[in-house]
Amino acid sequence: MMRLSIADLIVRPKTIAAKIRGDGDDPVHARLDLALDSDTPGRFQAFVRVKRVLKENFSIGLRYLDDDGGDAILIRVNGDHGGHRNPDGGVILSGPHVHGFRGPTLELPPRNRAEPRWAWPIAPDHLALPMAWRTFCDLANVRSERKFEREVAKLYTSSRQLSFKAFR
Amino acid sequence: MIPTPESLHRAFATALDSEASVRVRRPGRLFQVDLPAYMGDGDAAEIYVRPGRAEGSLVVTDLGSTRTRISYRREVDESVDAELARLAEPHGIELLDGELQVEVPANELFAATLGLLQVEAQAEQLAYVSRRRAREATQFRKQVLELLHELFREDQIEAPFFDEKNDEEALYKIDALIRGKKPLGVAIVPGDLEAERAVGSKLVLEKTLIPDARWLAIPRDLERLGSRTRKRLLKHYYPAGSSFERDVVRKCLRDLADVA
């Protein structure tokens, strides 16, 4: 069977099938992992990680697992974790950004362990996770649902910002 | 132009001055050190500094970013934490509450920062390596458990075995207990972590529940264990061969279990 390109995989319509994992007791990040449905071979997952002590530091990603055991991340929407350097040497000093593929790579099937190394800055209002989630859903063609938007918002608001324990 | 120590020092100092910066993340409490050091996906290594407990000391930390990055692709379980701690230890860095961190006097800030950078870079591959190892370990465990169930009746095996009354969380468990003339504690050992756990569990269980047990370790490959771990395991367990050979393991199990 012909394998789909990264671009095709990204634009395929996806819906949220189930929550795989919700916020656990990990001391450093709150998390949400979602299984996505689509008519594509392989599996899609969305993941959200929010640093508990810096809620503007988060990452939302679209992961694709093919039927041969390949595992690729196709897109990520990041908050502010610091800088980023693109393969051409261009640097984003800080602030929210989107990771993706570009050029001919986009037209190829994802390789195992693929990581989107290019990044583009996005508007500062994406420092808020709920806003970044909406952008992620647009970019990855995921039909969001109120229920999961609330879950995402909960991750954002439940972070232990500057708690005594975190900064003892 | 032929470089001199002075010109190279100037070049480094200038680069550091122009390319390194410090950003306030929470005034007075948390700062981020931006350095031109990038991970595989192009994102900068995350280095944070906050005031330490001791007067004038500083804590250099990744705020857990390393574990978070690994978690995109795999569960961050005890084996990941153990591997992270192992990578960090030579740099004097500890894994505490999920953070790679070290508390240093201010004049050691630079060295600590470079140490943390190295650990973060080394940990990059952990998501894949650990995942592969975990899969292999699971397969090995499954293979051995199948063999146990092939050899013994259900009423002769307890798998896993732990003190259900006093250790509800199963902190000290072994993979199986075979109830023969003498009980036989069985530890399946795919790697170092399981070997160390097996030793710890045996020390507890032989004092409490099964003082008269025999102890058998089934290693995937004894030679691949760390030398001290291997020594500890061999001090406490009889090994079913140096690597997994079905017939050898079968014979060991039959001989030692001594079941009716």
Side-chain angles (χ1 to χ4, degrees):
Chain A
M1 187 197 298
M2 175 113 164
R3 294 177 64 212
L4 292 174
S5 69
I6 292 173
D8 286 337
L9 290 169
I10 291 171
V11 300
R12 283 295 166 116
K14 304 164 195 79
T15 54
I16 299 172
K19 178 163 88 174
I20 307 171
R21 256 188 91 129
D23 187 10
D25 53 3
D26 194 288
V28 299
H29 56 245
R31 70 183 292 172
L32 179 65
D33 291 319
L34 301 168
L36 307 178
D37 263 348
S38 86
D39 61 357
T40 313
R43 290 180 293 136
F44 286 103
Q45 290 176 2
F47 63 81
V48 186
R49 302 285 182 275
V50 187
K51 199 176 286 299
R52 291 199 190 273
V53 295
L54 275 180
K55 66 179 178 182
E56 72 273 24
N57 184 335
F58 57 78
S59 190
I60 310 170
L62 174 67
R63 184 180 177 199
Y64 176 67
L65 301 134
D66 69 26
D67 293 333
D68 301 322
D71 179 351
I73 292 173
L74 305 180
I75 276 185
R76 271 167 60 209
V77 178
N78 283 1
D80 184 8
H81 59 68
H84 172 89
R85 184 176 63 189
N86 278 321
D88 65 356
V91 169
I92 297 170
L93 292 175
S94 63
H97 54 268
V98 172
H99 280 247
F101 291 90
R102 59 179 265 190
T105 315
L106 258 178
E107 305 309 322
L108 298 170
R111 288 188 310 179
N112 186 27
R113 299 184 180 193
E115 288 272 2
R117 297 204 58 208
W118 290 89
W120 299 267
I122 48 177
D125 56 359
H126 287 83
L127 284 175
L129 180 66
M131 178 69 185
W133 170 255
R134 284 194 288 277
T135 296
F136 168 80
C137 289
D138 288 346
L139 292 171
N141 204 2
V142 176
R143 195 174 74 206
S144 186
E145 286 173 40
R146 188 63 63 84
K147 177 168 81 166
F148 294 106
E149 284 168 6
R150 277 199 297 269
E151 292 255 1
V152 171
K154 212 163 74 185
L155 292 184
Y156 187 59
T157 51
S158 67
S159 297
R160 296 191 309 253
Q161 298 298 299
L162 290 170
S163 69
F164 178 73
K165 181 174 180 288
F167 286 89
R168 67 183 185 277
Chain B
M1 192 181 86
I2 298 169
T4 63
E6 292 75 22
S7 69
L8 290 174
H9 180 261
R10 264 198 311 278
F12 273 119
T14 307
L16 196 61
D17 198 35
S18 62
E19 294 188 43
S21 60
V22 175
R23 213 154 46 107
V24 176
R25 295 304 295 250
R26 296 292 184 269
R29 308 189 72 177
L30 185 67
F31 305 86
Q32 185 165 9
V33 181
D34 293 317
L35 289 169
Y38 301 93
M39 312 305 278
D41 62 357
D43 281 347
E46 290 186 51
I47 309 274
Y48 299 87
V49 177
R50 62 177 186 244
R53 284 179 184 168
E55 183 62 34
S57 73
L58 298 166
V59 174
V60 180
T61 170
D62 72 338
L63 277 188
S65 305
T66 309
R67 288 172 88 253
T68 301
R69 288 173 63 86
I70 292 169
S71 80
Y72 298 160
R73 291 190 191 259
R74 63 150 302 162
E75 286 308 313
V76 180
D77 55 18
E78 287 170 353
S79 69
V80 171
D81 281 345
E83 190 66 15
L84 274 177
R86 191 186 65 76
L87 290 176
E89 196 262 334
H91 299 275
I93 294 168
E94 286 181 291
L95 184 71
L96 287 175
D97 293 337
E99 293 182 27
L100 290 167
Q101 58 174 266
V102 57
E103 184 165 349
V104 291
N107 63 358
E108 289 176 21
L109 179 63
F110 190 58
T113 301
L114 292 185
L116 183 54
L117 273 179
Q118 281 177 277
V119 180
E120 287 189 30
Q122 285 177 302
E124 273 279 272
Q125 289 306 307
L126 213 52
Y128 308 105
V129 175
S130 298
R131 202 164 146 233
R132 194 185 65 228
R133 278 190 197 151
R135 203 167 44 228
E136 287 170 357
T138 307
Q139 280 167 357
F140 177 64
R141 191 180 296 280
K142 199 174 150 203
Q143 192 179 9
V144 176
L145 286 172
E146 276 171 6
L147 179 62
L148 291 177
H149 287 283
E150 216 177 279
L151 288 175
F152 305 108
R153 296 192 313 265
E154 287 304 310
D155 61 314
Q156 294 171 328
I157 306 180
E158 276 186 66
F161 176 78
F162 60 96
D163 185 346
E164 288 178 20
K165 218 184 255 176
N166 301 308
D167 179 20
E168 285 176 6
E169 288 182 87
L171 296 177
Y172 303 99
K173 68 177 174 187
I174 50 172
D175 293 289
L177 184 80
I178 314 293
R179 295 211 180 268
K181 283 183 189 160
K182 269 193 169 185
L184 175 67
V186 178
I188 303 171
V189 183
D192 287 286
L193 185 70
E194 294 81 2
E196 295 290 359
R197 276 193 195 147
V199 171
S201 298
K202 184 221 171 196
L203 290 171
V204 171
L205 291 171
E206 73 180 351
K207 273 194 184 156
T208 52
L209 282 188
I210 39 174
D212 56 339
R214 294 167 171 161
W215 298 88
L216 179 72
I218 304 176
R220 189 153 66 106
D221 188 347
L222 206 54
E223 294 308 312
R224 286 178 65 181
L225 298 180
S227 64
R228 294 175 75 81
T229 300
R230 186 169 55 239
K231 277 181 195 163
R232 274 193 285 272
L233 185 72
L234 294 179
K235 199 171 170 185
H236 292 276
Y237 283 83
Y238 180 78
S242 60
S243 61
F244 183 76
E245 284 178 49
R246 214 177 164 81
D247 290 341
V248 175
V249 174
R250 188 196 300 265
K251 185 171 181 329
C252 280
L253 282 165
R254 277 206 177 119
D255 291 350
L256 289 173
D258 200 9
V259 292

